[in-house]
Each structure stands twice: as C-alpha cells, then as structure tokens.
Amino acid sequence: MATDTTPSRRATPDDVIATYDAVGPEWAKARDRRLIERRWVDRMLAAAPRNGGRRRVLDLGCGSGAPIAQYVADRGAEVTGVDASRVMLGLFQKNLPRARAFHHDMRGLRLSEKFDAILAWDSFFHLSGPDQQSMFPTFAEHAAPGCALMFTSGPSAGTAIGDVAGKPIFHESLSPKTYKGLLEMHGFKPLAFIPEDPDCGMHSVWLARFDGLPREEGPKPANKG
C-alpha cells in the first residue's frame, strides 16, 4: 500500500470513527450500489454452514448496510450489524429495520454468541496493525463451527491515507504472510486470497473457514521401556 504523509492528508486510526460520524450521510449517498462485491459475498454465503436454520451473519463495521448487508439479508440470512459510528449505525437501522444492530467498536467485542459468517468489508483495514492482530481472537470467539470469515486488507504490508466524502481516512495492512499465520493460529483455514481483485474494484479479499482452535498438546507419557 502506498503511503501519503502530506500535511493535508494526514489521518490516524483514532480519527476514523469521528470522520464517519461527520460525513456518513454523504458517503452513503455516493456509495457505489452496483454490488461489485456480489461474487465474493456469494462465495462467503456458500462457504457458511447452516448450524441452525437461517445463516447468522455478523457484519463488523457494517456502515449503512447498503448494498452488502441488504443483499445478504435478501438471501435469507439473519444479519447482525456492529459499528462504532452512531451515524453509520443509524443508517444501517434505517436500511435494514429488521436486522439487529449494536453500537460498538469491533475491538473487544463480546456478544456471547456464535455466527455462521463474519464479514469485515472495508472496515477492518481502518484499524492499526496491532489492533488488527488483536481482532483474530474476537473473530474466533464469535465463530460457529465452520464459520466463513471474509475481510478486506491491502495487497501488502503498509499504511495508506484514503478518502471518504472528501475527508482523509486511515488504512493499514499487514503482510499476506502475517494474515495467513494469524488465521491459522486462531483456528481459521484460509480458503482464498486475491490481492487487488480486478473483478471487485481492486479490493484485496480474504476468505477463511473456522475449523476450531488448535488443541494444545498435553504432556507426553514417560517412556517406561
């Protein structure tokens, strides 16, 4: 990811929530509704199990919910949205009045329930690198057996300053090797990673399946021979 550090384009992870609170409606109005993400969302839903009837989908950094969460709900899933921006969560509730919505930072989230799919599309990469690493136990804590996890990152390690409704916004990415290691460490099997997918607006997309946390090996019995 390229780094832009010019004075007018400086932004930090701590600015992200306030920025979306300030420009959320403008961002939502300009948001591309063509659903170029459809192929990936369909792939996530196909990978997600049906552990209890309707698929339960946790949308972290759900934003306005349009168009991705709306599409997921239209496919029969039960959507739960989480966003740290009150403005964005209000838009989500307006667009998906039947969905559950929680005003909460994804960091440190504890809903005490499991989901069949966890989505962090264009949200996870607004966290700092250390905070991203700390999210993997949170993913695992909310993952039902076989849960599909999908998130976007950068194509390589680095920091970049993007734009949201004319305001600078922070992005950061770890390396693909680091993400793969974190997934495996926390019980997720990587299923796909395409950096800068040309068929999805150059998004870099990860898809993984939760196979369960690795078991710690107990002490080996003493050799009595």
Side-chain angles (χ1 to χ4, degrees):
M1 297 174 73
T3 303
D4 186 342
T5 57
T6 57
S8 62
R9 302 300 298 168
R10 287 177 185 161
T12 73
D14 295 331
D15 302 329
V16 170
I17 297 168
T19 298
Y20 278 109
D21 275 338
V23 301
E26 291 85 350
W27 173 88
K29 192 175 297 184
R31 210 285 192 190
D32 189 342
R33 301 297 179 89
R34 292 175 300 165
L35 198 63
I36 59 173
E37 307 90 347
R38 185 192 309 268
R39 182 171 58 88
W40 277 104
V41 176
D42 284 343
R43 192 170 180 180
M44 178 193 75
L45 291 174
R50 291 184 182 271
N51 287 304
R54 296 175 65 193
R55 291 187 179 93
R56 298 157 296 170
V57 178
L58 177 61
D59 190 349
L60 297 174
C62 59
S64 70
I68 293 179
Q70 288 178 324
Y71 178 78
V72 170
D74 287 344
R75 292 300 173 276
E78 180 182 304
V79 179
T80 296
V82 173
D83 207 293
S85 164
R86 287 191 182 276
V87 171
M88 298 304 285
L89 195 67
L91 294 170
F92 177 89
Q93 291 174 303
K94 181 179 179 180
N95 289 325
L96 288 92
R98 296 183 180 180
R100 293 189 304 163
F102 293 93
H103 177 239
H104 203 294
D105 195 311
M106 71 173 74
R107 294 167 294 186
L109 182 69
R110 290 181 180 273
L111 294 182
S112 300
E113 58 185 291
K114 307 292 186 180
F115 295 85
D116 304 310
I118 299 172
L119 176 66
W121 190 274
D122 286 0
S123 57
F124 176 69
F125 61 16
H126 287 314
L127 303 180
S128 69
D131 281 344
Q132 288 185 34
Q133 294 189 51
S134 297
M135 276 299 301
F136 285 84
T138 299
F139 292 149
E141 183 177 337
H142 292 86
C147 171
L149 168 65
M150 189 165 72
F151 62 89
T152 49
S153 69
S156 58
T159 302
I161 305 303
D163 181 277
V164 55
K167 299 287 186 180
I169 196 82
F170 177 90
H171 301 80
E172 190 156 270
S173 184
L174 307 176
S175 70
K177 180 179 179 181
T178 300
Y179 284 127
K180 183 175 183 292
L182 286 164
L183 286 166
E184 293 172 343
M185 184 187 306
H186 293 91
F188 290 92
K189 178 182 179 179
L191 300 178
F193 169 58
I194 296 185
E196 298 185 330
D197 183 353
D199 295 325
C200 190
M202 302 304 287
H203 284 85
S204 297
V205 189
W206 287 88
L207 179 64
R209 182 186 67 232
F210 185 65
D211 287 341
L213 292 172
R215 293 183 179 180
E216 294 185 7
E217 291 188 12
K220 294 181 179 180
N223 187 349
K224 297 181 180 180

